[in-house]
Amino acid sequence: MLISSLVATALVGAAAAQDILTTQLSFSGYTNYLYRDDVTSSQLLFTEANSTNVRTRFIAAFPAGNSGAMAYFKPSTGNTSALTLSLVDNSLKSVQYDCNQTGITGQWQLSQNAELDLAVLGSVRALRDYVEGGGILHPEMNYTLLQSSNNSVTLYRNFFNDSIAMNFTMTTDKQIQSSGNTSIALPAGTYQFTITLNETTLEGIPPATLLNQQNETIATNSSTSDSTKMVSFLSYSEKLLAGGWRFLTYFGRDTLISLRILMPILSSDTIEAALGAVLERTNITDGELCHEETIGDYASWVNMQNGQADLGSKPFYDYKMIDTNFEFLPALAYYLLGLPSGSGRATPFLSKTASLANNMTYKDLLQKNVDLVMNQSSSFAQNPTADNLIHLKDGVPVGNWRDSNPGIGYGRIPFDVNTALVPGCLRAIQKLAEASILNSTLSQTAASYANVWESKSLPLFSVPLNSTYAEQTLSDYTAYANLTSDLYMNSSASGNSTSPPSEIYALSLMEDASPVQTMNSDFSFNLMYNDNLTAELLEYSVNALRPFPEGLLTNVGLLIANPAYDSNRTNWEVFTRAAYHGTCVWGFQQSMMVAGLGRQLDLCNGSSGSSNTSTTTPIWCSNSTLVSNIKSAQCTLWDIILSNPAVEFAETWTWTFDNSTKSFVVTDPAALTPDSTEADAIQLWSFTLLAQDKPSYCS
Ligand SMILES: *[C@@H]1O[C@H](CO)[C@@H](O)[C@H](O)[C@H]1NC(C)=O
Ligand SMILES: *[C@@H]1O[C@H](CO)[C@@H](O)[C@H](O)[C@H]1NC(C)=O
Ligand SMILES: *[C@@H]1O[C@H](CO)[C@@H](O)[C@H](O)[C@H]1NC(C)=O
Ligand SMILES: *[C@@H]1O[C@H](CO)[C@@H](O)[C@H](O)[C@H]1NC(C)=O
Ligand SMILES: *[C@@H]1O[C@H](CO)[C@@H](O)[C@H](O)[C@H]1NC(C)=O
Ligand SMILES: *[C@@H]1O[C@H](CO)[C@@H](O)[C@H](O)[C@H]1NC(C)=O
Ligand SMILES: *[C@@H]1O[C@H](CO)[C@@H](O)[C@H](O)[C@H]1NC(C)=O
Ligand SMILES: *[C@@H]1O[C@H](CO)[C@@H](O)[C@H](O)[C@H]1NC(C)=O
Ligand SMILES: *[C@@H]1O[C@H](CO)[C@@H](O)[C@H](O)[C@H]1NC(C)=O
Ligand SMILES: *[C@@H]1O[C@H](CO)[C@@H](O)[C@H](O)[C@H]1NC(C)=O
Ligand SMILES: *[C@@H]1O[C@H](CO)[C@@H](O)[C@H](O)[C@H]1NC(C)=O
Ligand SMILES: *[C@@H]1O[C@H](CO)[C@@H](O)[C@H](O)[C@H]1NC(C)=O
């Protein structure tokens, strides 16, 4: 998570070469270096001297097998001053040795005599087990210490199955003392460090071909070129990665949501890499789409734990999320039918043969997912009750992007999946069938299902509020949260309402269909994925984009949740500003909101144009007050986004209320909950704002 210190600067020198991608950024106490060329791809982290992170840490992470090396250093006995370890400028290079060993080398400066405190070599998942799992180490993953000379040590590990060998070497001009398997005394000074392993490198998609030709200046503009490099670092012809250093591998939701928003600026190569990666990981039995893959050394480990060591490092694909299943078809339909880059691509793309999924064609895999969507949506289409909505899987407490149990208020039936994604998916099937990309007999059934889902699911999430109740609870919550009614009274916010909303939409429903009455930002999914929205939902959107705590807007961003109207006041304690999915901001939700509002307005222009696949103009477009209110809400959100440049491409952040200025201040959630999970410096979906232009009608 970033915070005020998200500073990205290109490494001068190295970046001059066309085929080398380098960039760096300071994030939450670590300097992150990204390096990629034809030989390797690696993200390195060094604890910063000014960091409040007490331990001096180095990490190198490699996406090819989601592998990495991590080392902690401590001052040698007697030393009490702070130890620093920093990269020597412009020293990073790739290396290529015998036995297919490839990796990264560079120089670091160690400020004083130190000892190796601890090291982990293997899967990034094993590094995470240590960092996030309260110090879990797997003794089976121990490395071996080799000292070939006085001034060089190597930590060596053969991955499970002896499939991959990793070497982490540190060399200096003074004497290094080691004893036993883990004790290493490192003198202060300059070191050459090298980490190599013999994993096949992925094929990176460079900034030059990441974007489509109309938008390639985004890769060279000074304000966006570093962010484009970071997206490029996460993009490979095999798959897009979710983020780094912790998630340098495939995640379905991150891929598909990012893709949907970024698609207008991406090249068809990038789009097809992302779509292909999802299809390749389809469950060929039931058509579910993969949430997360476990590969490399950790796959071996999981297989061993399951008593299936004979499977070697065969990947494990996780299908526990329910949203991913409904995020592929809308992206595919938009690409093939809505974008110039997708025109004529249906046949060549869908006739590809999958390399991971049993040699099936992409078209066969697509059909599996279509069958799943049709099957799972049919009960509600026939009998639209809450029971027949899509529920989280039995025994699984999560299932949509609010990937935490409290994040959806402990509900079982999420709003986004049921009101936006399923109907959006059915319309996508209808349109692909009308275009004969899918069997054309499907179009009528898909359309009739979509009609029911569009008209009957949203009302099940409606929470009517009478004004007496709404005003009272708002006032109570304002006091509870130590805020002030000045934030929303007499505000010049968008919309023509000056009082609390008369209706909100639940975040989720409990198993018994009762609503979790927390106001939330998930109508961004309706704006992004649906074409046939009611005037009521658009009016609600405008109203919800009012100042917090009446609505969701603060001067530091759009909050994803606001429990002010929740009659279950326990939720006031659940959705705090420190909670992962509480009254905090997520960058991709802001991009989806501005993109979604823009998309809806495009529908009024009758343009089947750049951002939708519809040809009919919605009825609400004739309400010029509403149209003007939507524009003004969109412009207000843009102003907020642009006035917080430090978090423009950050994943999530929260706030502190400053009573003297009566405004919010950007706050790192880690500062509120020191034992919270470490965040990633770069996260694919946090860059989705790159595809958005502030509209010319905003002043
Ligand atoms: C800490 O130092 C790094 C450079 O080493 C700098 O980029 C960053 O802004 C500093 N952070 C703070 C909070 O001062
Ligand atoms: C190096 O990789 C090539 C191609 O994958 C393989 O044929 C060869 O056996 C590998 N060499 C060693 C020493 O592992
Ligand atoms: C791994 O290392 C730990 C700490 O040095 C040691 O206690 C343990 O015995 C080692 N385990 C194996 C399997 O080598
Ligand atoms: C990687 O290197 C190790 C050690 O040289 C070797 O045993 C292994 O077969 C190699 N793996 C691959 C995939 O080349
Ligand atoms: C790892 O480093 C050691 C010590 O330098 C060397 O003997 C060994 O050959 C290296 N292994 C590989 C697979 O590169
Ligand atoms: C794939 O789907 C089948 C049928 O639902 C299920 O039995 C199987 O466990 C799924 N595979 C995985 C890896 O989840
Ligand atoms: C896929 O096809 C290739 C080439 O025909 C073959 O070597 C491989 O075994 C096939 N894989 C599966 C899972 O059928
Ligand atoms: C399309 O679906 C219909 C009805 O299920 C089926 O009869 C027909 O064979 C299918 N056509 C193709 C080309 O698969
Ligand atoms: C207003 O709503 C509250 C909370 O749902 C309810 O307790 C109250 O009876 C309602 N008042 C009126 C006048 O409907
Ligand atoms: C409001 O302020 C009081 C007094 O400082 C404090 O005890 C309470 O925790 C604060 N409430 C919230 C929600 O932060
Ligand atoms: C805003 O005004 C328009 C036009 O008068 C009206 O149709 C709409 O219902 C109003 N919206 C709200 C939330 O009051
Ligand atoms: C991408 O290119 C299109 C076509 O030139 C243009 O309309 C759009 O504004 C560009 N998008 C961005 C974010 O620059």
Side-chain angles (χ1 to χ4, degrees):
M1 244 115 314
L2 139 79
I3 288 309
S4 46
S5 58
L6 178 52
V7 182
T9 38
L11 283 175
V12 192
Q18 280 294 316
D19 51 349
I20 303 179
L21 177 86
T22 59
T23 186
Q24 74 181 67
L25 76 163
S26 168
F27 177 80
S28 221
Y30 299 97
T31 304
N32 287 253
Y33 300 89
L34 308 182
Y35 182 99
R36 187 175 73 198
D37 62 13
D38 292 344
V39 174
T40 194
S41 176
S42 177
Q43 177 173 1
L44 286 79
L45 276 80
F46 288 81
T47 309
E48 285 166 355
N50 55 9
S51 171
T52 53
N53 299 304
V54 286
R55 297 174 75 193
T56 304
R57 186 182 74 180
F58 165 78
I59 289 179
F62 302 88
N66 199 24
S67 302
M70 172 170 76
Y72 287 86
F73 301 90
K74 60 182 178 193
S76 52
T77 326
N79 281 337
T80 51
S81 54
L83 174 69
T84 62
L85 181 76
S86 49
L87 184 75
V88 174
D89 283 350
N90 302 323
S91 66
L92 279 187
K93 287 199 304 243
S94 63
V95 283
Q96 202 161 12
Y97 295 151
D98 291 347
C99 303
N100 299 335
Q101 287 279 318
T102 60
I104 191 95
T105 191
Q107 281 165 8
W108 74 40
Q109 186 73 37
L110 186 68
S111 67
Q112 57 175 282
N113 295 345
E115 283 161 35
L116 180 70
D117 192 8
L118 175 120
V120 183
L121 273 65
S123 172
V124 164
R125 292 279 293 277
L127 273 50
R128 289 180 52 202
D129 283 350
Y130 179 78
V131 172
E132 299 158 29
I136 295 171
L137 290 168
H138 306 290
E140 297 84 346
M141 301 181 191
N142 280 0
Y143 59 85
T144 309
L145 197 156
L146 309 169
Q147 182 152 22
S148 49
S149 77
N150 271 344
N151 57 5
S152 181
V153 281
T154 296
L155 314 184
Y156 173 85
R157 184 161 167 248
N158 265 347
F159 286 13
F160 295 119
N161 312 309
D162 292 330
S163 54
I164 303 293
M166 180 188 271
N167 254 2
F168 177 5
T169 302
M170 293 164 258
T171 306
T172 186
D173 55 2
K174 300 191 197 95
Q175 180 157 350
I176 299 176
Q177 273 172 344
S178 71
S179 74
N181 214 3
T182 52
S183 163
I184 310 177
L186 298 157
T190 306
Y191 286 70
Q192 189 76 32
F193 66 89
T194 307
I195 299 118
T196 63
L197 73 174
N198 56 341
E199 253 164 11
T200 316
T201 311
L202 301 172
E203 189 191 340
I205 303 177
T209 58
L210 182 78
L211 306 177
N212 68 41
Q213 274 173 6
Q214 292 73 46
N215 296 99
E216 61 192 9
T217 52
I218 294 172
T220 49
N221 280 349
S222 59
S223 61
T224 46
S225 66
D226 278 316
S227 302
T228 311
K229 281 186 191 176
M230 293 172 201
V231 175
S232 167
F233 180 78
L234 296 171
S235 301
Y236 298 81
S237 21
E238 294 87 349
K239 59 188 164 190
L240 306 192
L241 315 177
W245 62 278
R246 300 188 306 130
F247 305 120
L248 286 176
T249 194
Y250 167 90
F251 280 80
R253 169 190 307 132
D254 297 73
T255 300
L256 290 169
I257 286 183
S258 305
L259 180 66
R260 182 62 186 79
I261 308 176
L262 282 172
M263 221 191 291
I265 63 166
L266 297 178
S267 66
S268 54
D269 282 355
T270 313
I271 294 169
E272 291 184 19
L275 293 170
V278 179
L279 282 178
E280 291 272 357
R281 290 160 180 80
T282 304
N283 180 330
I284 60 171
T285 312
D286 64 11
E288 288 205 301
L289 302 181
C290 175
H291 164 58
E292 177 181 7
E293 66 178 4
T294 302
I295 58 170
D297 200 43
Y298 213 81
S300 305
W301 173 244
V302 171
N303 289 331
M304 285 159 62
Q305 300 303 297
N306 292 338
Q308 294 186 296
D310 54 303
L311 293 178
S313 62
K314 185 170 189 272
F316 178 78
Y317 299 117
D318 177 311
Y319 300 96
K320 69 169 170 287
M321 299 295 174
I322 57 165
D323 59 346
T324 315
N325 294 334
F326 303 101
E327 284 164 350
F328 180 82
L329 277 152
L332 181 76
Y334 177 39
Y335 173 51
L336 296 178
L337 306 173
L339 284 179
S341 57
S343 130
R345 292 300 306 160
T347 304
F349 177 67
L350 293 173
S351 56
K352 284 188 184 166
T353 301
S355 54
L356 299 181
N358 238 6
N359 289 344
M360 288 170 75
T361 64
Y362 280 10
K363 182 155 188 172
D364 295 336
L365 293 167
L366 171 65
Q367 189 59 46
K368 291 276 179 193
N369 181 240
V370 169
D371 293 345
L372 173 106
V373 171
M374 295 304 291
N375 285 336
Q376 292 200 351
S377 61
S378 70
S379 314
F380 187 83
Q382 273 134 38
N383 181 15
T385 62
D387 246 11
N388 287 332
L389 289 170
I390 312 286
H391 295 226
L392 302 185
K393 291 188 173 185
D394 289 343
V396 184
V398 294
N400 75 342
W401 82 268
R402 294 174 193 256
D403 190 1
S404 67
N405 193 338
I408 53 168
Y410 303 94
R412 302 288 307 163
I413 308 172
F415 176 89
D416 59 347
V417 172
N418 285 290
T419 71
L421 294 174
V422 172
C425 208
L426 289 165
R427 289 294 176 203
I429 293 174
Q430 178 197 344
K431 285 169 194 150
L432 289 166
E434 282 165 359
S436 296
I437 294 168
L438 294 171
N439 188 329
S440 52
T441 62
L442 270 173
S443 74
Q444 270 197 335
T445 320
S448 70
Y449 284 15
N451 286 335
V452 179
W453 278 87
E454 282 168 357
S455 58
K456 304 288 190 198
S457 68
L458 190 64
L460 294 170
F461 289 83
S462 167
V463 179
L465 306 171
N466 61 56
S467 60
T468 316
Y469 170 77
E471 278 163 26
Q472 185 62 51
T473 192
L474 178 58
S475 148
D476 291 352
Y477 181 81
T478 305
Y480 159 85
N482 298 324
L483 300 170
T484 160
S485 59
D486 294 354
L487 287 165
Y488 50 86
M489 293 303 282
N490 309 316
S491 87
S492 59
S494 48
N496 45 358
S497 150
T498 50
S499 52
S502 56
E503 176 187 34
I504 60 169
Y505 290 104
L507 183 54
S508 62
L509 306 181
M510 304 303 270
E511 205 60 69
D512 67 359
S514 60
V516 173
Q517 302 165 354
T518 285
M519 189 186 222
N520 63 87
S521 61
D522 285 356
F523 57 90
S524 61
F525 284 87
N526 306 79
L527 299 172
M528 196 70 206
Y529 283 90
N530 303 137
D531 291 344
N532 305 322
L533 297 179
T534 57
E536 188 189 1
L537 187 76
L538 285 143
E539 273 160 14
Y540 173 69
S541 304
V542 169
N543 273 331
L545 294 174
R546 295 174 56 78
F548 174 71
E550 191 174 46
L552 296 167
L553 280 193
T554 69
N555 60 293
V556 298
L558 165 74
L559 304 186
I560 61 158
N562 169 12
Y565 304 104
D566 205 323
S567 63
N568 173 6
R569 292 195 175 181
T570 312
N571 280 339
W572 291 10
E573 315 281 343
V574 171
F575 295 95
T576 65
R577 69 193 170 108
Y580 195 38
H581 300 108
T583 49
C584 62
V585 188
W586 280 68
F588 93 89
Q589 276 288 281
Q590 299 200 126
S591 325
M592 192 183 267
M593 194 65 79
V594 288
L597 292 167
R599 204 179 150 269
Q600 294 300 322
L601 291 166
D602 278 354
L603 292 170
C604 294
N605 298 336
S607 71
S608 62
S610 64
S611 60
N612 65 73
T613 56
S614 177
T615 45
T616 49
T617 305
I619 297 162
W620 57 260
C621 292
S622 57
N623 178 343
S624 58
T625 312
L626 179 57
V627 168
S628 140
N629 287 344
I630 295 170
K631 286 185 181 169
S632 108
Q634 188 195 25
C635 296
T636 303
L637 182 53
W638 263 112
D639 287 343
I640 291 172
I641 292 172
L642 297 177
S643 64
N644 289 281
V647 285
E648 194 168 350
F649 298 108
E651 185 175 34
T652 174
W653 61 97
T654 189
W655 49 267
T656 303
F657 185 63
D658 182 338
N659 241 321
S660 64
T661 58
K662 305 234 182 299
S663 64
F664 299 89
V665 179
V666 172
T667 302
D668 185 343
L672 302 181
T673 39
D675 54 353
S676 63
T677 304
E678 178 177 342
D680 278 348
I682 53 166
Q683 208 56 40
L684 184 64
W685 63 9
S686 308
F687 294 106
T688 45
L689 197 65
L690 283 175
Q692 307 308 315
D693 277 326
K694 186 178 178 183
S696 52
Y697 47 75
C698 299
S699 55

